[in-house]
PDB file of all heavy atoms in Angstrom:
ATOM      1  N   PRO U 400     -44.314  44.187  -9.431  1.00 95.00           N
ATOM      2  CA  PRO U 400     -43.421  44.287 -10.595  1.00 95.00           C
ATOM      3  C   PRO U 400     -41.962  44.336 -10.132  1.00 95.00           C
ATOM      4  O   PRO U 400     -41.629  45.042  -9.181  1.00 95.00           O
ATOM      5  CB  PRO U 400     -43.835  45.601 -11.260  1.00 95.00           C
ATOM      6  CG  PRO U 400     -45.235  45.838 -10.788  1.00 95.00           C
ATOM      7  CD  PRO U 400     -45.345  45.239  -9.419  1.00 95.00           C
ATOM      8  N   ARG U 401     -41.119  43.553 -10.808  1.00 95.00           N
ATOM      9  CA  ARG U 401     -39.698  43.474 -10.423  1.00 95.00           C
ATOM     10  C   ARG U 401     -39.072  44.869 -10.355  1.00 95.00           C
ATOM     11  O   ARG U 401     -38.293  45.178  -9.452  1.00 95.00           O
ATOM     12  CB  ARG U 401     -38.948  42.600 -11.427  1.00 95.00           C
ATOM     13  CG  ARG U 401     -37.475  42.426 -11.148  1.00 95.00           C
ATOM     14  CD  ARG U 401     -36.844  41.450 -12.120  1.00 95.00           C
ATOM     15  NE  ARG U 401     -37.252  40.094 -11.819  1.00 95.00           N
ATOM     16  CZ  ARG U 401     -36.536  39.242 -11.070  1.00 95.00           C
ATOM     17  NH1 ARG U 401     -35.384  39.630 -10.570  1.00 95.00           N
ATOM     18  NH2 ARG U 401     -36.975  38.044 -10.839  1.00 95.00           N
ATOM     19  N   SER U 402     -39.411  45.729 -11.320  1.00 95.00           N
ATOM     20  CA  SER U 402     -38.776  47.062 -11.337  1.00 95.00           C
ATOM     21  C   SER U 402     -39.167  47.862 -10.096  1.00 95.00           C
ATOM     22  O   SER U 402     -38.379  48.660  -9.585  1.00 95.00           O
ATOM     23  CB  SER U 402     -39.135  47.828 -12.613  1.00 95.00           C
ATOM     24  OG  SER U 402     -40.533  47.976 -12.689  1.00 95.00           O
ATOM     25  N   ASP U 403     -40.382  47.656  -9.546  1.00 95.00           N
ATOM     26  CA  ASP U 403     -40.781  48.371  -8.328  1.00 95.00           C
ATOM     27  C   ASP U 403     -39.948  47.905  -7.139  1.00 95.00           C
ATOM     28  O   ASP U 403     -39.512  48.706  -6.305  1.00 95.00           O
ATOM     29  CB  ASP U 403     -42.265  48.124  -8.004  1.00 95.00           C
ATOM     30  CG  ASP U 403     -43.175  48.843  -8.997  1.00 95.00           C
ATOM     31  OD1 ASP U 403     -42.633  49.439  -9.959  1.00 95.00           O
ATOM     32  OD2 ASP U 403     -44.407  48.789  -8.826  1.00 95.00           O
ATOM     33  N   VAL U 404     -39.742  46.577  -7.063  1.00 96.00           N
ATOM     34  CA  VAL U 404     -38.950  46.033  -5.944  1.00 96.00           C
ATOM     35  C   VAL U 404     -37.527  46.586  -6.022  1.00 96.00           C
ATOM     36  O   VAL U 404     -36.961  47.050  -5.022  1.00 96.00           O
ATOM     37  CB  VAL U 404     -38.929  44.482  -5.988  1.00 96.00           C
ATOM     38  CG1 VAL U 404     -38.067  43.926  -4.864  1.00 96.00           C
ATOM     39  CG2 VAL U 404     -40.342  43.910  -5.921  1.00 96.00           C
ATOM     40  N   LEU U 405     -36.954  46.549  -7.229  1.00 96.00           N
ATOM     41  CA  LEU U 405     -35.577  47.033  -7.385  1.00 96.00           C
ATOM     42  C   LEU U 405     -35.494  48.535  -7.115  1.00 96.00           C
ATOM     43  O   LEU U 405     -34.517  49.012  -6.512  1.00 96.00           O
ATOM     44  CB  LEU U 405     -35.052  46.722  -8.790  1.00 96.00           C
ATOM     45  CG  LEU U 405     -34.954  45.234  -9.153  1.00 96.00           C
ATOM     46  CD1 LEU U 405     -34.339  45.058 -10.552  1.00 96.00           C
ATOM     47  CD2 LEU U 405     -34.128  44.457  -8.132  1.00 96.00           C
ATOM     48  N   ALA U 406     -36.521  49.280  -7.535  1.00 96.00           N
ATOM     49  CA  ALA U 406     -36.512  50.731  -7.282  1.00 96.00           C
ATOM     50  C   ALA U 406     -36.575  50.999  -5.776  1.00 96.00           C
ATOM     51  O   ALA U 406     -35.907  51.912  -5.263  1.00 96.00           O
ATOM     52  CB  ALA U 406     -37.682  51.397  -8.003  1.00 96.00           C
ATOM     53  N   ASP U 407     -37.361  50.210  -5.044  1.00 97.00           N
ATOM     54  CA  ASP U 407     -37.420  50.378  -3.587  1.00 97.00           C
ATOM     55  C   ASP U 407     -36.062  50.056  -2.950  1.00 97.00           C
ATOM     56  O   ASP U 407     -35.608  50.767  -2.047  1.00 97.00           O
ATOM     57  CB  ASP U 407     -38.499  49.468  -2.983  1.00 97.00           C
ATOM     58  CG  ASP U 407     -39.888  50.053  -3.175  1.00 97.00           C
ATOM     59  OD1 ASP U 407     -39.989  51.286  -3.330  1.00 97.00           O
ATOM     60  OD2 ASP U 407     -40.864  49.275  -3.195  1.00 97.00           O
ATOM     61  N   PHE U 408     -35.442  48.981  -3.423  1.00 97.00           N
ATOM     62  CA  PHE U 408     -34.116  48.605  -2.918  1.00 97.00           C
ATOM     63  C   PHE U 408     -33.138  49.761  -3.147  1.00 97.00           C
ATOM     64  O   PHE U 408     -32.391  50.178  -2.253  1.00 97.00           O
ATOM     65  CB  PHE U 408     -33.676  47.332  -3.661  1.00 97.00           C
ATOM     66  CG  PHE U 408     -32.370  46.736  -3.215  1.00 97.00           C
ATOM     67  CD1 PHE U 408     -31.940  46.783  -1.893  1.00 97.00           C
ATOM     68  CD2 PHE U 408     -31.542  46.095  -4.138  1.00 97.00           C
ATOM     69  CE1 PHE U 408     -30.731  46.214  -1.493  1.00 97.00           C
ATOM     70  CE2 PHE U 408     -30.336  45.525  -3.747  1.00 97.00           C
ATOM     71  CZ  PHE U 408     -29.925  45.596  -2.430  1.00 97.00           C
ATOM     72  N   ARG U 409     -33.202  50.332  -4.357  1.00 97.00           N
ATOM     73  CA  ARG U 409     -32.312  51.449  -4.694  1.00 97.00           C
ATOM     74  C   ARG U 409     -32.552  52.654  -3.783  1.00 97.00           C
ATOM     75  O   ARG U 409     -31.611  53.280  -3.291  1.00 97.00           O
ATOM     76  CB  ARG U 409     -32.549  51.855  -6.163  1.00 97.00           C
ATOM     77  CG  ARG U 409     -31.589  52.881  -6.652  1.00 97.00           C
ATOM     78  CD  ARG U 409     -32.094  53.665  -7.841  1.00 97.00           C
ATOM     79  NE  ARG U 409     -31.052  54.540  -8.353  1.00 97.00           N
ATOM     80  CZ  ARG U 409     -30.683  55.662  -7.776  1.00 97.00           C
ATOM     81  NH1 ARG U 409     -31.268  56.081  -6.643  1.00 97.00           N
ATOM     82  NH2 ARG U 409     -29.705  56.417  -8.308  1.00 97.00           N
ATOM     83  N   THR U 410     -33.841  52.978  -3.567  1.00 97.00           N
ATOM     84  CA  THR U 410     -34.178  54.131  -2.723  1.00 97.00           C
ATOM     85  C   THR U 410     -33.608  53.953  -1.313  1.00 97.00           C
ATOM     86  O   THR U 410     -33.061  54.887  -0.721  1.00 97.00           O
ATOM     87  CB  THR U 410     -35.724  54.280  -2.641  1.00 97.00           C
ATOM     88  OG1 THR U 410     -36.215  54.415  -3.968  1.00 97.00           O
ATOM     89  CG2 THR U 410     -36.142  55.465  -1.804  1.00 97.00           C
ATOM     90  N   ILE U 411     -33.742  52.753  -0.783  1.00 98.00           N
ATOM     91  CA  ILE U 411     -33.248  52.497   0.582  1.00 98.00           C
ATOM     92  C   ILE U 411     -31.730  52.668   0.633  1.00 98.00           C
ATOM     93  O   ILE U 411     -31.197  53.365   1.503  1.00 98.00           O
ATOM     94  CB  ILE U 411     -33.662  51.075   1.035  1.00 98.00           C
ATOM     95  CG1 ILE U 411     -35.178  50.972   1.134  1.00 98.00           C
ATOM     96  CG2 ILE U 411     -33.022  50.733   2.388  1.00 98.00           C
ATOM     97  CD1 ILE U 411     -35.705  49.533   1.172  1.00 98.00           C
ATOM     98  N   LEU U 412     -31.030  52.035  -0.325  1.00 97.00           N
ATOM     99  CA  LEU U 412     -29.559  52.127  -0.329  1.00 97.00           C
ATOM    100  C   LEU U 412     -29.097  53.573  -0.447  1.00 97.00           C
ATOM    101  O   LEU U 412     -28.192  54.007   0.270  1.00 97.00           O
ATOM    102  CB  LEU U 412     -28.979  51.313  -1.494  1.00 97.00           C
ATOM    103  CG  LEU U 412     -29.139  49.796  -1.425  1.00 97.00           C
ATOM    104  CD1 LEU U 412     -28.667  49.155  -2.733  1.00 97.00           C
ATOM    105  CD2 LEU U 412     -28.355  49.214  -0.249  1.00 97.00           C
ATOM    106  N   ALA U 413     -29.742  54.313  -1.373  1.00 98.00           N
ATOM    107  CA  ALA U 413     -29.316  55.702  -1.598  1.00 98.00           C
ATOM    108  C   ALA U 413     -29.529  56.536  -0.343  1.00 98.00           C
ATOM    109  O   ALA U 413     -28.728  57.415  -0.018  1.00 98.00           O
ATOM    110  CB  ALA U 413     -30.089  56.297  -2.781  1.00 98.00           C
ATOM    111  N   SER U 414     -30.596  56.251   0.383  1.00 98.00           N
ATOM    112  CA  SER U 414     -30.887  57.041   1.581  1.00 98.00           C
ATOM    113  C   SER U 414     -29.960  56.677   2.739  1.00 98.00           C
ATOM    114  O   SER U 414     -29.320  57.539   3.328  1.00 98.00           O
ATOM    115  CB  SER U 414     -32.352  56.825   1.978  1.00 98.00           C
ATOM    116  OG  SER U 414     -32.595  57.431   3.223  1.00 98.00           O
ATOM    117  N   ILE U 415     -29.860  55.376   3.048  1.00 98.00           N
ATOM    118  CA  ILE U 415     -29.137  55.022   4.286  1.00 98.00           C
ATOM    119  C   ILE U 415     -27.627  55.089   4.114  1.00 98.00           C
ATOM    120  O   ILE U 415     -26.902  55.252   5.085  1.00 98.00           O
ATOM    121  CB  ILE U 415     -29.557  53.639   4.833  1.00 98.00           C
ATOM    122  CG1 ILE U 415     -29.154  52.514   3.877  1.00 98.00           C
ATOM    123  CG2 ILE U 415     -31.033  53.601   5.174  1.00 98.00           C
ATOM    124  CD1 ILE U 415     -29.297  51.128   4.483  1.00 98.00           C
ATOM    125  N   TYR U 416     -27.137  54.987   2.862  1.00 98.00           N
ATOM    126  CA  TYR U 416     -25.694  55.075   2.660  1.00 98.00           C
ATOM    127  C   TYR U 416     -25.243  56.416   2.089  1.00 98.00           C
ATOM    128  O   TYR U 416     -24.101  56.552   1.643  1.00 98.00           O
ATOM    129  CB  TYR U 416     -25.173  53.871   1.861  1.00 98.00           C
ATOM    130  CG  TYR U 416     -25.225  52.646   2.763  1.00 98.00           C
ATOM    131  CD1 TYR U 416     -25.999  51.533   2.455  1.00 98.00           C
ATOM    132  CD2 TYR U 416     -24.558  52.666   3.979  1.00 98.00           C
ATOM    133  CE1 TYR U 416     -26.082  50.460   3.334  1.00 98.00           C
ATOM    134  CE2 TYR U 416     -24.638  51.601   4.857  1.00 98.00           C
ATOM    135  CZ  TYR U 416     -25.388  50.508   4.532  1.00 98.00           C
ATOM    136  OH  TYR U 416     -25.472  49.460   5.409  1.00 98.00           O
ATOM    137  N   ASP U 417     -26.134  57.410   2.152  1.00 98.00           N
ATOM    138  CA  ASP U 417     -25.699  58.782   1.969  1.00 98.00           C
ATOM    139  C   ASP U 417     -24.772  59.089   3.154  1.00 98.00           C
ATOM    140  O   ASP U 417     -25.121  58.783   4.299  1.00 98.00           O
ATOM    141  CB  ASP U 417     -26.927  59.702   1.991  1.00 98.00           C
ATOM    142  CG  ASP U 417     -26.511  61.143   2.052  1.00 98.00           C
ATOM    143  OD1 ASP U 417     -26.065  61.651   1.021  1.00 98.00           O
ATOM    144  OD2 ASP U 417     -26.602  61.742   3.144  1.00 98.00           O
ATOM    145  N   PRO U 418     -23.569  59.668   2.904  1.00 98.00           N
ATOM    146  CA  PRO U 418     -22.620  59.800   4.025  1.00 98.00           C
ATOM    147  C   PRO U 418     -23.164  60.618   5.195  1.00 98.00           C
ATOM    148  O   PRO U 418     -22.900  60.292   6.362  1.00 98.00           O
ATOM    149  CB  PRO U 418     -21.390  60.466   3.383  1.00 98.00           C
ATOM    150  CG  PRO U 418     -21.803  60.921   2.036  1.00 98.00           C
ATOM    151  CD  PRO U 418     -22.994  60.127   1.631  1.00 98.00           C
TER     152      PRO U 418
END
Side-chain angles (χ1 to χ4, degrees):
R401 180 175 287 264
S402 59
D403 289 5
V404 178
L405 297 183
D407 281 336
F408 184 34
R409 186 202 186 284
T410 303
I411 295 163
L412 293 173
S414 172
I415 66 169
Y416 288 119
D417 170 75

